[in-house]
Amino acid sequence: MSRVKLLGYEIDTFTFDGAVERALELEKEDKVSQVVTINPEMFDCAKTDSEFAEILNNSEMVIPDGVGVKIGLKILGESVDRIAGIDFARRMLELSAQNNLPVAIIGAKPEVINLAGENLKKEIENLNIVYSQDGYFQDDERVLQELAEAKPRLVLVALGSPKQEKFIKKARNILPYGLMVGVGGSFDVWSGTVERAPEIYQKLGIEWLYRTVKQPERFKRIFPTLPLFVLRVTKEKLFK
Ligand code: UDP
């Protein structure tokens, strides 16, 4: 396992299998661990949000999700696997079921999280969901208290970024243990509400392109981010 510094943040350069193996070890430890699956937008966010920057510095695992981060690392001469957050989270659910480790799912709209929970239980044998909560709650303290009582070993949180990472940070002081992962739009996909990009897009690492064509309003969000990110990394390499 090794880490590479990208725009000031340490990124883990695991293979997919290496990442899940490490995550399972952390899941079994008697402390809370945080996994961030990072994309170029999140580097932008860290520039202006010091709390989020601190979270990136203090997370046990920061793994490259977007193809942008893979390109960024390539510019620095590092070849890494891109680990799609949704695939990583799914594998962690399967491993948790196999190891009899209880899980919690938090986030998305009420009907979405319910459907996602039902589908996951049907699809993953022995999956033990001890807590499920939609992502539109006002009272963090209540949810954290309920989580602490449910004592899950794996907690998947989908509130969008950086909200999900900040919620996980709060949970660190309250839960006894557990691996906590921010999973963005994963429940929308698992519920069947949002379609994932066809496999060819996944293989090429251009799911973002498919999503942008399907939801053109994402274009504004993604378009300036990726070229500017590549520019920042190139500058860092040239002027280091
Ligand atoms: N979401 C939520 N609570 C919020 C905001 C968002 O539960 O206050 C959910 C939303 O329903 C979706 C997920 O977070 O399931 C990811 O949201 P979005 O697509 O905006 O985030 P991204 O993954 O693009 O960062």
Side-chain angles (χ1 to χ4, degrees):
M1 144 176 130
S2 66
R3 298 194 120 186
V4 181
K5 213 162 198 173
L6 181 61
L7 298 178
Y9 300 98
E10 303 270 0
I11 311 294
D12 292 296
T13 57
F14 290 110
T15 58
F16 184 85
D17 289 344
V20 293
E21 201 177 302
R22 176 70 189 130
L24 187 63
E25 279 170 17
L26 291 170
E27 190 177 344
K28 290 175 176 168
E29 281 181 9
D30 281 333
K31 68 179 195 63
V32 177
S33 299
Q34 179 160 12
V35 181
V36 178
T37 61
I38 197 164
N39 61 37
E41 287 175 287
M42 289 156 90
F43 283 93
D44 268 358
C45 176
K47 261 201 307 193
T48 51
D49 183 335
S50 59
E51 184 189 354
F52 186 61
E54 197 191 311
I55 291 173
L56 291 182
N57 285 326
N58 291 324
S59 290
E60 280 71 11
M61 290 174 72
V62 180
I63 53 185
D65 182 3
V67 71
V69 180
K70 187 179 156 97
I71 295 171
L73 289 168
K74 188 88 186 167
I75 294 169
L76 299 185
E78 298 285 337
S79 271
V80 296
D81 275 4
R82 165 189 171 257
I83 299 175
I86 185 168
D87 295 330
F88 172 81
R90 178 82 181 199
R91 189 77 191 109
M92 291 316 297
L93 286 169
E94 289 165 3
L95 286 175
S96 300
Q98 283 164 25
N99 287 273
N100 291 316
L101 300 170
V103 311
I105 52 175
I106 300 174
K109 297 193 179 120
E111 65 277 17
V112 170
I113 195 71
N114 289 342
L115 262 174
E118 281 170 28
N119 289 346
L120 289 168
K121 275 192 271 187
K122 267 188 240 151
E123 291 161 17
I124 303 174
E125 197 184 332
N126 203 31
L127 183 67
N128 181 14
I129 299 178
V130 290
Y131 186 67
S132 171
Q133 162 70 49
D134 71 72
Y136 294 87
F137 51 88
Q138 305 302 326
D139 185 358
D140 282 8
E141 306 315 317
R142 170 190 58 86
V143 175
L144 289 169
Q145 211 45 55
E146 289 172 0
L147 254 185
E149 281 159 27
K151 292 200 176 62
R153 281 281 171 183
L154 175 69
V155 186
L156 303 185
V157 186
L159 304 173
S161 188
K163 203 171 170 187
Q164 60 198 20
E165 283 78 21
K166 290 182 179 178
F167 176 82
I168 293 174
K169 181 190 148 195
K170 269 195 192 171
R172 290 180 87 114
N173 302 323
I174 295 170
L175 302 198
Y177 47 67
L179 182 81
M180 305 193 70
V181 191
V183 294
S186 300
F187 297 129
D188 298 273
V189 173
W190 293 332
S191 68
T193 317
V194 169
E195 193 194 333
R196 204 173 166 194
E199 208 163 320
I200 182 75
Y201 287 80
Q202 297 178 31
K203 285 225 173 86
L204 293 173
I206 51 169
E207 279 178 78
W208 56 274
L209 181 63
Y210 182 83
R211 281 203 297 267
T212 308
V213 172
K214 287 258 163 177
Q215 296 168 266
E217 66 279 8
R218 289 181 77 97
F219 193 71
K220 256 202 315 234
R221 231 175 81 178
I222 291 181
F223 180 67
T225 309
L226 195 57
L228 286 178
F229 174 76
V230 169
L231 203 66
R232 270 177 82 195
V233 180
T234 309
K235 263 202 220 145
E236 183 184 74
K237 183 178 159 79
L238 291 177
F239 301 112
K240 198 161 53 173

